[in-house]
Amino acid sequence: MTDILAVEGISKSFGALKAIRGLSFSLARNEVLGIAGPNGSGKSTLFNILTKVPFGPDSGEIRIDGEAVTRLGPRHIVEKGLVRSFQTETDFESITVLENVLVSMPDADFRTGAAAAKARAREILDDFQLLDQQDRIASEITVYDRKKLMIATALACRPKVLLLDEPAAGLSRPEVAQMIELIRRINADGVSIIVIEHIISLLVSVSNRLMVLNFGELLAEGAPQDVIRDQRVIEAYLGPAAAHV
Ligand SMILES: Nc1ncnc2c1ncn2[C@@H]1O[C@H](COP(=O)(O)OP(=O)(O)OP(=O)(O)O)[C@@H](O)[C@H]1O
Ligand SMILES: [Mg+2]
């Protein structure tokens, strides 16, 4: 079966800095792929390139469900089913939680009327245990609820592939456990997922496969339990001395 996402030899430079260097990988249907890597290794840049927000790759090819999308703009990428969340909260702070979901929904959802669209938005919020917060201004809800809201707005776009950039950053331990359950539930509903995290326990819990980036290149890839024990990975995170203790 065709991979839901295929990336071949993509690169991105900022002046002399090569942030992504000829990276190739694929995502199978219904797979959860974890991405780890030290700060500045190019993880968020990879999501930027894939979704064209704000830029695409300098070179290389991207295919969604077998279709070349390398030259499409951000809006069309979303329509093809590739949707991301951001590392920091990017909800619209001054409107309500419900309105945040409504403005993220595709036009097609409004064809049957605003009431039907609202009903769907409330269903999504209910799924995320955010329904009781629907009328609150987004800036007033907790960090955890804002993280959930950001994912809810991404799901409102009906993605085939969801890209999560550090969904658990800044969360408490119990909240991380809830986020793990949430990611599993989204995946069980048929959404393929790529998740970037520094919290390795989350990556090991949710990922079928784990990739580690270093200086914009693939350092290691495979079963999460194997990858986290890889000497090259330990060295990249902790320095050469750590690999030999
Ligand atoms: N728009 C930009 N202009 C210039 N340099 C950039 C830009 N975006 C990213 N970079 C640089 O590219 C490199 C990769 O950054 P990126 O944000 O992808 O790292 P990351 O792996 O997501 O790190 P973190 O774990 O800290 O979020 C860094 O050196 C960063 O400073
Ligand atoms: Mg990042």
Side-chain angles (χ1 to χ4, degrees):
M1 204 187 267
T2 320
D3 287 321
I4 193 78
L5 180 70
V7 173
E8 276 171 28
I10 55 166
S11 296
K12 178 76 196 173
S13 295
F14 301 108
L17 175 78
K18 291 186 171 147
I20 297 285
R21 305 164 185 238
L23 187 64
S24 300
F25 67 93
S26 58
L27 179 72
R29 224 165 281 266
N30 275 321
E31 188 178 25
V32 180
L33 172 66
I35 299 184
N39 296 115
S41 55
K43 305 180 299 297
S44 297
T45 302
L46 172 64
F47 279 8
N48 294 343
I49 287 174
L50 294 178
T51 55
K52 315 292 179 60
V53 180
F55 40 68
D58 297 333
S59 55
E61 284 291 321
I62 303 163
R63 284 195 301 281
I64 300 173
D65 217 353
E67 190 182 345
V69 298
T70 320
R71 272 156 281 281
L72 296 185
R75 186 190 161 138
H76 288 109
I77 294 290
V78 171
E79 284 170 6
K80 296 290 176 194
L82 188 64
V83 183
R84 75 175 294 179
S85 74
F86 286 84
Q87 193 164 340
T88 49
E89 282 66 57
T90 49
D91 47 0
F92 296 109
E93 296 187 331
S94 59
I95 60 175
T96 69
V97 167
L98 178 67
E99 285 163 347
N100 264 280
V101 179
L102 282 171
V103 295
S104 308
M105 286 165 65
D107 294 346
D109 277 300
F110 290 86
R111 285 207 190 109
T112 44
K118 263 192 190 167
R120 180 165 177 255
R122 290 201 175 103
E123 237 172 71
I124 294 169
L125 288 176
D126 198 19
D127 262 1
F128 282 76
Q129 277 128 34
L130 285 173
L131 195 54
D132 56 342
Q133 314 269 11
Q134 64 174 319
D135 294 322
R136 293 190 67 190
I137 298 296
S139 62
E140 292 172 1
I141 66 175
T142 66
V143 170
Y144 178 50
D145 282 345
R146 287 185 77 179
K147 294 245 178 235
K148 286 199 297 184
L149 176 58
M150 194 162 47
I151 300 173
T153 58
L155 284 179
C157 304
R158 301 183 186 274
K160 293 180 190 166
V161 178
L162 179 64
L163 308 177
L164 298 172
D165 195 349
E166 299 196 27
L171 299 187
S172 68
R173 207 180 264 238
E175 288 167 344
V176 172
Q178 289 170 37
M179 185 57 76
I180 288 170
E181 283 315 308
L182 189 64
I183 293 171
R184 286 185 175 145
R185 205 147 45 81
I186 295 166
N187 181 239
D189 283 343
V191 181
S192 311
I193 296 174
I194 305 181
V195 54
I196 294 172
E197 248 313 333
H198 285 293
I199 302 172
I200 298 296
S201 61
L202 179 143
L203 288 177
V204 170
S205 300
V206 302
S207 309
N208 304 113
R209 193 159 52 100
L210 183 59
M211 260 176 26
V212 179
L213 295 187
N214 199 25
F215 297 111
E217 288 180 313
L218 191 62
L219 178 68
E221 189 241 317
Q225 290 291 355
D226 298 337
V227 170
I228 59 169
R229 290 185 177 83
D230 190 311
Q231 290 302 307
R232 290 166 305 169
V233 173
I234 296 167
E235 195 169 317
Y237 267 95
L238 301 174
H244 304 291
V245 289

